[in-house]
Amino acid sequence: MAKLLVKLQRYFRRKPVRFFTLLALYLAAGSLVFLHSGFAGEPTMTGSQRGPGAAEGPGLPYLGVMQLSRGFKAAATIPEGGRRHGAWFKSTSKGPAERSKAEDRGTTRSRTLRARTVREKEEDRARYVGCYVDNTRRRTLRGVSFFDYKKMTVFRCQDNCAERGYLYAGLEFGAECYCGHKIQAPNASESECNMECKGERSNTCGGVNRLSIYRLELAQESARRYGSAIFRGCFRRPDNISIALPVSQVMLNMSVEKCVDFCTEKEYPLSALAGTACHCGFPTTLFTLHEREDEQLCAQKCAGEEFESCGTAEYLLVYQTQVQDNRCMDRRFLPSRAKQLVALASFPGAGNTWARHLIELATGFYTGSYYFDGSLYNKGFKGERDHWRSGRTICIKTHESGQKEIESFDSAILLIRNPYKALMAEFNRKYGGHIGFAAHAHWKGKEWPEFVANYAPWWATHTLDWLRYGKKVLVVHFEDLKRDLFVQLQRMVGLLGITACEDRLLCVEGQKDGNFKRSGLRKLEYDPYTPEMRKMISGYIRTVDTALKLRNLSGVPDDYYPR
């Protein structure tokens, strides 16, 4: 060992440049590791565990429900990997070899009875329509399709079609899922839908050239699609249609596709079908798209496509094209340093990134962050790189919940989300990135129970701390923001001291999703919460609900309590 050291000493003495180069590289590597550890950590939660008396404060006495723990474990570095795909793949036809697998699988009567029981349990999200004929050359459901020859289930097919906004989901050959807005084929006998689902032997997934079709009740809540266009609904004709929708074209052979293509070519984000007339324009105060009518009022068949509706002269069927509405896309830093620091505070997984996206579109100014996330900066959040006290951003994202950190801000928007949803969202982010998903092994392993035990109390203490120490706090429920975006966004922008143009807010509604929404491809098909977890979380919900009402605020939304 001594000889080796002597040789190294002599070598570097002869070539000192190499010695200093290696030394510089070593110091640079150490600096990078230090900086990474500073940026990648979880939000700090200062303060020791509080006893009963510690919760007392102005307007928020001790609630007496439970003592909330502050002993959180240090979280591991968050992987920033991309989205992880399942076993889905897409195809347009099937070979005869695959069809040959559909041989006799026993009697169909008992399987049909078992499937009927499952269908009854699933009526809250879908209604079974029946067995229908399918044709490989002209599909019965003409939307997207997904195949999984190992793990296909009725739930998985329904969930994927609903996520994309389709009205119908159909299963065929035990492993194939088709989506669509119209059923374009005749009925078949129920006995012909006789194949077990590959991932769910107790249920039926169609047959050979036969579809088991469900109508998706939840499709009304999501954005239905026609190809690349998003269905917005049926609306009464505006009073001055030539101003509200300035471009129009008479189409005697009208179809949804023709009208959408026409408005896309004219570079308008809205396509409105009125019988044989196609109108194009923007959502404005003259045509807000806020008062939807019954779709039956628009149910007049298209002249060019018998299975589609094209609206009437009085009731317009509206689709959103792929043309981007640029009225709300410009963003910049504040022209002068902000006099007050406004927090956009939330528990992790409560939709803070989505809220930042909405605020930036609505105000035209960048939002900042208490942390630094390179992946968000690369996706357009340019305020991410600024120091949170720079004063160049309209508000600052934070997950902090300590007194010192909270009192650093002059006012705050406090975003609260259903803890069951927030915990799962944060767990997915922690192990799969901002729009990725945790692996099945993480949910089934020790990571999930430990995560719930550590993070569930934080969900409650986060809200309680902001209500106690925050100077001027506007409470916004994530569920209300999704349900009534226009009104809630007006409240948020008002706290920021910005007078937002109404047309700009209408533009935000059309661009609301952004690139920060997880798809439904990897949603869990089971409830990960144990009875013990639900009992604990329900107690925290009651604690937060009581604290909100003591401040003369509305309590938590009703859908926090179904468990």
Side-chain angles (χ1 to χ4, degrees):
M1 186 67 183
K3 290 182 179 180
L4 178 62
L5 292 174
V6 170
K7 287 182 179 179
L8 286 173
Q9 184 180 12
R10 289 175 179 174
Y11 175 78
F12 285 122
R13 187 177 297 170
R14 291 195 303 269
K15 299 182 179 180
V17 175
R18 294 189 181 182
F19 172 75
F20 287 113
T21 302
L22 287 173
L23 181 62
L25 289 174
Y26 175 78
L27 293 174
S31 300
L32 288 174
V33 171
F34 175 76
L35 288 172
H36 177 74
S37 64
F39 287 135
E42 292 286 341
T44 58
M45 290 162 283
T46 60
S48 57
Q49 293 189 4
R50 292 177 291 176
E56 297 173 1
L60 186 61
Y62 175 61
L63 300 177
V65 178
M66 64 188 68
Q67 184 172 341
L68 301 175
S69 171
R70 296 282 237 153
F72 305 109
K73 293 183 179 180
T77 302
I78 302 159
E80 295 294 344
R83 174 175 154 200
R84 302 169 186 170
H85 296 271
W88 300 103
F89 61 93
K90 186 173 181 179
S91 178
T92 55
S93 62
K94 299 170 287 296
E98 292 173 330
R99 293 295 185 196
S100 67
K101 295 180 182 179
E103 308 224 327
D104 182 29
R105 294 176 179 268
T107 61
T108 62
R109 179 172 177 80
S110 60
R111 192 176 299 120
T112 302
L113 290 174
R114 291 197 304 270
R116 190 174 301 162
T117 302
V118 175
R119 290 168 192 156
E120 290 171 356
K121 294 179 181 178
E122 294 172 343
E123 296 235 332
D124 58 334
R125 70 168 176 269
R127 176 172 55 85
Y128 180 69
V129 177
C131 184
Y132 285 79
V133 175
D134 194 24
N135 189 317
T136 56
R137 295 183 178 179
R138 190 170 177 81
R139 290 292 181 190
T140 302
L141 297 175
R142 299 175 188 172
V144 299
S145 59
F146 304 95
F147 303 164
D148 190 338
Y149 289 96
K150 291 185 177 180
K151 298 180 180 179
M152 178 61 75
T153 65
V154 173
F155 174 87
R156 177 170 287 185
C157 180
Q158 291 173 351
D159 192 49
N160 279 276
C161 292
E163 181 71 27
R164 285 158 178 76
Y166 289 99
L167 280 175
Y168 296 97
L171 296 108
E172 181 176 344
F173 201 60
E176 301 170 4
C177 174
Y178 297 89
C179 311
H181 292 304
K182 297 284 183 180
I183 300 176
Q184 305 182 43
N187 284 92
S189 169
E190 285 295 319
S191 62
E192 296 179 32
C193 285
N194 55 12
M195 299 188 68
E196 295 176 342
C197 300
K198 296 294 185 181
E200 188 179 29
R201 297 292 183 182
S202 62
N203 212 349
T204 301
C205 285
V208 180
N209 289 333
R210 296 295 183 266
L211 281 169
S212 298
I213 296 183
Y214 295 81
R215 180 181 173 87
L216 305 173
E217 305 301 335
L218 293 182
Q220 302 298 332
E221 301 173 10
S222 59
R224 283 161 42 192
R225 293 181 179 270
Y226 183 88
S228 61
I230 300 173
F231 178 76
R232 297 298 297 270
C234 177
F235 300 90
R236 186 184 294 274
R237 175 192 176 102
D239 291 334
N240 196 334
I241 193 168
S242 62
I243 298 177
L245 299 169
V247 175
S248 62
Q249 176 76 44
V250 174
M251 298 180 179
L252 298 179
N253 199 25
M254 173 68 84
S255 69
V256 175
E257 182 179 7
K258 289 181 179 178
C259 188
V260 168
D261 287 347
F262 172 73
C263 293
T264 301
E265 183 181 346
K266 297 295 182 181
E267 297 187 349
Y268 283 96
L270 291 186
S271 171
L273 292 83
T276 57
C278 174
H279 303 280
C280 312
F282 295 93
T284 64
T285 53
L286 298 176
F287 195 50
T288 62
L289 303 184
H290 286 167
E291 299 179 5
R292 292 180 62 158
E293 304 286 349
D294 188 334
E295 286 185 36
Q296 292 302 314
L297 297 173
C298 290
Q300 176 177 299
K301 289 185 178 180
C302 297
E305 177 56 74
E306 60 176 320
F307 294 109
E308 296 173 356
S309 297
C310 278
T312 68
E314 292 301 319
Y315 292 95
L316 311 182
L317 207 59
V318 180
Y319 287 83
Q320 183 173 321
T321 71
Q322 288 295 295
V323 176
Q324 188 174 58
D325 189 346
N326 290 319
R327 295 175 300 168
C328 59
M329 299 308 293
D330 60 298
R331 287 170 290 174
R332 64 189 189 279
F333 288 103
L334 292 173
S336 59
R337 183 182 174 88
K339 296 179 180 179
Q340 292 190 329
L341 292 176
V342 183
L344 178 61
S346 74
F347 174 79
N352 199 302
T353 302
W354 181 55
R356 289 178 68 185
H357 165 75
L358 297 176
I359 289 171
E360 290 195 1
L361 294 186
T363 64
F365 296 113
Y366 289 122
T367 59
S369 176
Y370 197 83
Y371 321 101
F372 170 74
D373 189 325
S375 66
L376 291 181
Y377 177 84
N378 293 333
K379 290 180 179 179
F381 288 98
K382 300 304 181 184
E384 192 76 19
R385 183 173 284 180
D386 269 36
H387 189 275
W388 66 278
R389 286 186 177 274
S390 70
R392 297 207 305 160
T393 53
I394 193 69
C395 64
I396 298 100
K397 162 191 172 178
T398 180
H399 298 313
E400 303 301 311
S401 56
Q403 179 180 355
K404 180 180 177 181
E405 289 78 7
I406 292 173
E407 291 179 346
S408 301
F409 295 95
D410 300 293
S411 58
I413 298 170
L414 177 59
L415 191 63
I416 305 175
R417 187 181 186 183
N418 185 326
Y420 293 104
K421 301 291 181 64
L423 289 168
M424 292 178 69
E426 174 60 9
F427 190 72
N428 276 320
R429 186 200 67 82
K430 188 178 180 66
Y431 290 101
H434 281 285
I435 57 174
F437 293 86
H440 185 74
H442 291 134
W443 293 101
K444 289 295 188 181
K446 65 178 182 179
E447 292 91 342
W448 172 243
E450 289 180 354
F451 178 86
V452 172
N454 290 328
Y455 276 68
W458 183 17
W459 176 86
T461 58
H462 184 277
T463 297
L464 298 179
D465 282 355
W466 277 95
L467 291 176
R468 180 183 181 188
Y469 301 119
K471 298 172 186 175
K472 182 181 177 183
V473 179
L474 173 69
V475 174
V476 177
H477 293 285
F478 176 86
E479 293 74 18
D480 292 339
L481 186 60
K482 285 185 64 178
R483 189 180 302 112
D484 195 357
L485 185 143
F486 190 87
V487 172
Q488 297 299 324
L489 197 52
Q490 275 185 320
R491 295 177 63 222
M492 296 163 69
V493 170
L495 181 78
L496 297 173
I498 301 292
T499 303
C501 171
E502 193 167 347
D503 281 354
R504 188 173 183 112
L505 292 178
L506 291 170
C507 169
V508 176
E509 285 188 311
Q511 316 285 336
K512 62 183 180 181
D513 284 341
N515 300 317
F516 308 100
K517 183 175 183 293
R518 289 183 177 89
S519 74
L521 286 174
R522 290 281 301 277
K523 283 185 178 177
L524 288 179
E525 298 180 17
Y526 59 89
D527 185 352
Y529 292 100
T530 64
E532 293 76 15
M533 292 177 183
R534 290 196 292 269
K535 182 179 179 181
M536 174 184 63
I537 294 171
S538 293
Y540 294 144
I541 291 173
R542 289 191 293 272
T543 301
V544 170
D545 184 64
T546 303
L548 290 170
K549 289 176 178 177
L550 285 173
R551 290 293 183 101
N552 294 320
L553 300 170
S554 59
V556 300
D558 293 338
D559 58 4
Y560 283 30
Y561 287 107
R563 298 168 183 264

